[in-house]
Amino acid sequence: MLRIASYNIRKSVGTDWRRRPLETLAVLNEIDADVIALQEVDRRFGTRASSLPRQAIREATRYVPVALGARPGSLGWHGNAILVREGIEVVETSCLALPALEPRGAAIVDLDIGEARLRVVGMHLGLLGLWRRRQAAAVLAHLEGLEPSMPTVLMGDLNEWNRDGRCLKLFARSHQVVMPGRSFPSRMPLGALDRFILSRDVTLVDTGVHLSNRSRGASDHLPVYADIAFAGSEAAGRHVRPLVSHA
């Protein structure tokens, strides 16, 4: 069993509008996931430096950032970063530019986890419905062309307020769309913007929103998690941990 998580960290800026990366990292430790997709990791302007220093990640957590070939000082691809627990092997990475009026992308990582192989996609879709649909179609088309096929999870901030949104329907044709719960805004969650999308060979065991005093203030989004099972994942030795609440 494996725990995955997704978290839009808003460049490590909390609800008090102070940039506090150590608070963000403390929230990641609370979630205790094996693989985490982060959105809005890098600053938007200038050198687009990461809001989470690599050294701080090494010193404060058990996570290793996946190298995505980003520009010096950046951690992600168009703000998308993937962290893996120490001991998980990164086999292959690729970055996909998505059609958009503003820069958008998806980070794709193949992982060896014990005896299991898992493909992870971290993404942050656009604000406009038309572009979200085009972005969803681009991600799905890219995944169809990847070899070898393997259990796959897509996760991120989909920016979709409607539970029947058209981009969700596109994903649902070939995948299971998972809504962990309301995750935005963090102080008074109204929208379930952060989601998981699982290939048919991945089983959902549990899912939810990580709600704590720290997570309420560390970003304008709450992190979401899912416990999943797939062929070989039992060797990872993970167990469901009741550390979170549903918002």
Side-chain angles (χ1 to χ4, degrees), residues 25-97:
L25 295 176
V27 173
L28 300 187
N29 285 332
E30 289 179 352
I31 303 167
D32 192 28
D34 298 286
V35 182
I36 304 178
L38 301 176
Q39 302 86 49
E40 296 193 24
V41 171
D42 301 326
R43 303 186 192 191
R44 185 178 294 272
F45 302 109
T47 61
R48 298 187 180 179
S50 172
S51 67
L52 292 179
R54 292 178 184 270
Q55 183 174 349
I57 296 173
R58 288 194 300 268
E59 294 177 351
T61 76
R62 296 175 58 208
Y63 293 109
V64 178
V66 174
L68 296 172
R71 66 182 67 193
S74 297
L75 195 67
W77 167 252
H78 291 308
N80 296 285
I82 296 176
L83 307 183
V84 298
R85 179 171 49 82
E86 292 175 352
I88 293 177
E89 180 183 353
V90 177
V91 178
E92 190 170 350
T93 66
S94 60
C95 295
L96 177 64

Side-chain angles (χ1 to χ4, degrees), residues 159-178:
N159 268 317
E160 180 59 75
W161 287 82
N162 186 347
R163 66 173 56 237
D164 297 318
R166 292 186 181 180
C167 80
L168 301 180
K169 290 182 177 179
L170 278 179
F171 286 123
R173 291 177 183 175
S174 53
H175 294 71
Q176 177 186 3
V177 178
V178 176

Side-chain angles (χ1 to χ4, degrees), residues 225-246:
Y225 79 96
D227 291 317
I228 59 173
F230 50 95
S233 63
E234 61 276 3
R238 304 297 286 180
H239 304 281
V240 177
R241 294 141 294 186
L243 297 178
V244 292
S245 301
H246 294 261

Side-chain angles (χ1 to χ4, degrees), residues 139-147 174:
V139 170
L140 291 170
H142 184 78
L143 290 177
E144 287 180 4
L146 293 181
E147 294 291 345
S174 53

